[in-house]
Amino acid sequence: MQNHKKGNIYIISAASGTGKTTLVSRLLKNHDDIRVSISHTTRQPREGEAHGVHYHFVPKEEFESLIEQRAFLEHANVFGNYYGTSIAGVNSLSEEGYDVILEIDVQGAAQVRKSLPEASSVFILPPSFEVLAQRLIGRGTDSEEVIQTRLSKARHEIEQSVLFDYVVVNDDLDRAEADLFHIIKAGRLKKSSQQGFISNLLENS
């Protein structure tokens, strides 16, 4: 990269069905100086998933060894499978100058905020619960019972949005993507991000 400044780290969370993954995908497609952290997991790859692209697929024993080594910013056991965010992976991207997105749930976000207080956190909200329910129904993959369970969980997750630095309402994909990018762009103008430039400017004055 031409930009040799250390990149910033952004935690992005949302309730299921809010469109977080779509927003992050659009952001990555339109800005080559932003990367998403690739999580480790012990679950088996699904059809079309590739190691090192969608996840780092590792055996349970290797994951538990990494936990003992304190190699993760956050990790969790979800329905019998481990998921975690590698400290080394995030730091490597940041050192290369990329802004790094951690696309994680509210529990993982809480862990990262504690271990990495300099990270900025963003919560993506649906415009309403009615719209969220319609999006979940529109997937056509879940029963009514599962949808109600997801909506109940979504309410709990949305209650956690008050703990985040920024809130973006995804009522329009283009506008929500622009809002998300403005947050990242503003982070690049923070004093801490500009410290190297300031130091060089003073040294050469």
Side-chain angles (χ1 to χ4, degrees), residues 13-20 123-124 126 131-133 135-136 139 142 146-147 149-151 153-155 157-158:
S13 299
S16 177
T18 306
K20 166 172 58 74
F123 197 92
I124 311 297
V131 169
L132 183 60
R135 287 176 182 172
L136 291 173
R139 289 176 174 180
D142 298 320
V146 170
I147 289 171
T149 299
R150 288 187 182 277
L151 286 173
K153 183 182 178 185
R155 180 177 294 278
E157 290 172 327
I158 289 170

Side-chain angles (χ1 to χ4, degrees), residues 137-191:
I137 293 168
R139 289 176 174 180
T141 57
D142 298 320
S143 66
E144 176 65 25
E145 183 180 356
V146 170
I147 289 171
Q148 290 307 315
T149 299
R150 288 187 182 277
L151 286 173
S152 177
K153 183 182 178 185
R155 180 177 294 278
H156 169 71
E157 290 172 327
I158 289 170
E159 287 172 352
Q160 308 301 306
S161 65
V162 296
L163 302 174
F164 287 69
D165 299 316
Y166 301 92
V167 170
V168 171
V169 178
N170 185 17
D171 56 350
D172 176 87
L173 270 173
D174 289 336
R175 182 162 56 240
E177 181 193 348
D179 287 345
L180 203 49
F181 181 62
H182 287 151
I183 292 168
I184 292 173
K185 192 172 182 181
R188 297 172 182 173
L189 302 177
K190 281 185 175 180
K191 181 180 65 177

Side-chain angles (χ1 to χ4, degrees), residues 9-162:
I9 296 169
Y10 296 87
I11 303 160
I12 299 184
S13 299
S16 177
T18 306
K20 166 172 58 74
T21 300
T22 301
L23 277 174
V24 171
S25 295
R26 287 172 59 123
L27 207 58
L28 297 176
K29 181 181 178 181
N30 294 326
H31 303 281
D32 60 9
D33 50 2
I34 301 172
R35 292 287 186 273
V36 67
S37 170
I38 300 172
S39 298
H40 284 60
T41 185
T42 58
R43 77 160 170 79
Q44 292 299 307
R46 294 173 184 147
E47 186 176 348
E49 288 183 334
H51 177 75
V53 177
H54 300 92
Y55 284 96
H56 295 296
F57 296 99
V58 299
K60 182 180 178 181
E61 295 75 17
E62 182 179 340
F63 197 105
E64 290 177 340
S65 175
L66 290 170
I67 292 175
E68 291 178 4
Q69 297 169 38
R70 300 182 182 276
F72 295 115
L73 276 172
E74 58 85 29
H75 68 274
N77 188 315
V78 182
F79 301 120
N81 290 308
Y82 283 117
Y83 295 83
T85 302
S86 162
I87 295 172
V90 171
N91 285 344
S92 176
L93 289 171
S94 177
E95 291 293 341
E96 290 176 34
Y98 293 105
D99 288 316
V100 187
I101 290 175
L102 311 185
E103 191 181 337
I104 51 181
D105 63 18
V106 292
Q107 288 81 11
Q111 291 182 50
V112 176
R113 281 199 302 269
K114 189 175 294 184
S115 59
L116 209 64
E118 67 271 24
S120 296
S121 57
V122 186
F123 197 92
I124 311 297
L125 287 174
S128 69
F129 271 97
E130 289 74 20
V131 169
L132 183 60
Q134 288 304 314
R135 287 176 182 172
L136 291 173
I137 293 168
R139 289 176 174 180
T141 57
D142 298 320
S143 66
E144 176 65 25
E145 183 180 356
V146 170
I147 289 171
Q148 290 307 315
T149 299
R150 288 187 182 277
L151 286 173
S152 177
K153 183 182 178 185
R155 180 177 294 278
H156 169 71
E157 290 172 327
I158 289 170
E159 287 172 352
Q160 308 301 306
S161 65
V162 296

